[in-house]
């Protein structure tokens, strides 16, 4: 089931807000985890676990290090979602 970027952003913002106990309005695409939300590596792993469960994806340590902003997370999920349903990606699963 492919979700729009807006749906993914909304879900990510809610997860980030709930996990980090910040207002959802503070979570926008340009929000930086470390600089804006004071997220340390342990908290980022906790956030990743919730995101993995919600979006049915796996995040390697290397991928997690590359997720610096909310938009980075949305793009990663969008790419994963597109591949899972046979979308635009070289390794897409045939429908």
């Amino acid at each position: 089931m492919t979700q729009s970027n807006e749906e993914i952003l909304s879900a990510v913002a809610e997860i980030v807000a709930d996990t980090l106990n910040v207002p959802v309005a503070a979570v926008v695409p340009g929000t930086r985890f470390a600089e804006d939300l004071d997220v340390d590596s342990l908290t980022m792993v906790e956030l990743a676990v919730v995101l993995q469960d919600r979006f049915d994806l796996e995040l390697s340590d290397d991928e997690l290090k590359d997720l610096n902003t909310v938009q980075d997370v949305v793009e990663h999920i969008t790419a994963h979602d597109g591949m899972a349903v046979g979308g635009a990606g070289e390794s897409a699963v045939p429908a």
Side-chain angles (χ1 to χ4, degrees):
M1 155 175 123
T2 302
Q3 300 176 52
S4 72
N5 278 355
E6 293 80 20
E7 291 170 325
I8 293 170
L9 175 59
S10 178
V12 168
E14 187 175 311
I15 290 167
V16 170
D18 288 347
T19 303
L20 303 179
N21 198 27
V22 298
V24 73
V27 184
V28 297
T31 301
R32 300 168 298 175
F33 294 109
E35 294 87 348
D36 299 329
L37 300 175
D38 201 28
V39 173
D40 61 18
S41 59
L42 184 59
T43 305
M44 194 64 188
V45 169
E46 179 184 342
L47 182 59
V49 169
V50 177
L51 291 166
Q52 289 176 123
D53 289 345
R54 166 60 176 81
F55 292 101
D56 191 30
L57 57 90
E58 291 292 322
L59 288 168
S60 70
D61 290 341
D62 287 338
E63 289 171 324
L64 191 56
K65 290 176 189 175
D66 291 336
L67 302 179
N68 300 307
T69 67
V70 171
Q71 184 62 36
D72 292 341
V73 172
V74 171
E75 289 173 2
H76 184 83
I77 293 167
T78 301
H80 177 273
D81 193 35
M83 290 174 62
V85 296
E90 299 103 41
S91 59
V93 177

